[in-house]
Amino acid sequence: AVIGSGTMGGGIAWLMSNSDMAPLMKDLNEEALVLGLKQASKNFMGAVKRKRLSKDDFERRMRSITPQLDYAGFAKTDLVIEAVVENMDIKKSVFAETEKHVSEDCLLTSNTSSLSVEEMATALEKPERFAGLHFFNPVHMMPLVEIITHSKMSQGTAKALYDWCLKA
């Protein structure tokens, strides 16, 4: 799942969909969700224009992204990537709320590029399953992601994120 559907959130949802995943994309309002879907659509349309993706595959991949305003389905996700505004208080609030809606095994990550993941981890009851997962912009042009660790992160979290990045 992706929380935040701006340029980065829409790009990350595109990446998940393009890797045969079925991402949930959550935001606060319909307008934001439309922006995230437009970002994913724009990325896929580039491949359609270059004849690397059929129109049927474009439609299938776009349908695999579920835009939503709530946490429906989050209990079944393996990974949540937060891509909201770069504000520590907002991010900590998002993580504290999100943790209540996911399973014990779900990994929680932030796409932050500048804020302390060590500090973000303090908002969580289980900080060992949290890390930074920073995608470079634009996601569809920059196949680069960095895993950002902190003092309470488990080795299992690091390995699972590494494996996920190779898959995506």
Side-chain angles (χ1 to χ4, degrees):
V2 180
I3 298 178
S5 59
T7 300
M8 291 305 292
I12 294 167
W14 165 85
L15 173 71
M16 291 173 152
S17 176
N18 199 46
S19 299
D20 294 322
M21 298 174 203
L24 306 174
M25 184 172 63
K26 181 191 179 309
D27 213 311
L28 296 174
N29 58 58
E30 294 286 338
E31 296 81 19
L33 292 171
V34 167
L35 288 174
L37 289 171
K38 282 183 180 177
Q39 182 64 51
S41 176
K42 178 181 169 186
N43 293 352
F44 283 130
M45 282 308 291
V48 170
K49 288 177 184 174
R50 290 187 309 278
K51 300 193 187 297
R52 293 185 179 163
L53 186 69
S54 72
K55 289 192 180 191
D56 286 344
D57 283 339
F58 165 83
E59 293 294 331
R60 180 183 57 79
R61 290 182 184 180
M62 284 302 297
R63 281 192 311 270
S64 77
I65 301 170
T66 304
Q68 58 190 63
L69 301 173
D70 59 22
Y71 286 96
F74 272 61
K76 295 180 181 180
T77 60
D78 298 322
L79 171 67
V80 174
I81 302 169
E82 165 275 318
V84 302
V85 65
E86 288 287 288
N87 176 294
M88 183 61 76
D89 291 336
I90 292 172
K91 287 182 182 289
K92 287 169 83 173
S93 174
V94 164
F95 283 118
E97 181 178 345
T98 302
E99 190 173 35
K100 297 173 189 173
H101 298 279
V102 298
S103 73
E104 294 275 323
D105 301 337
C106 181
L107 301 179
L108 301 172
T109 64
S110 176
N111 183 53
T112 189
S113 60
S114 62
L115 299 176
S116 168
V117 296
E118 187 81 35
E119 184 176 343
M120 274 182 241
T122 65
L124 296 167
E125 290 182 25
K126 291 185 70 182
E128 62 275 8
R129 66 172 170 175
F130 171 74
L133 196 61
H134 178 228
F135 294 82
F136 288 75
N137 189 16
V139 175
H140 70 289
M141 302 277 297
M142 298 283 292
L144 181 62
V145 62
E146 60 183 338
I147 299 169
I148 305 161
T149 64
H150 60 90
S151 64
K152 293 184 178 158
M153 188 178 98
S154 75
Q155 288 299 319
T157 296
K159 169 115 175 63
L161 290 175
Y162 176 79
D163 291 344
W164 184 88
C165 288
L166 292 178
K167 179 181 169 186

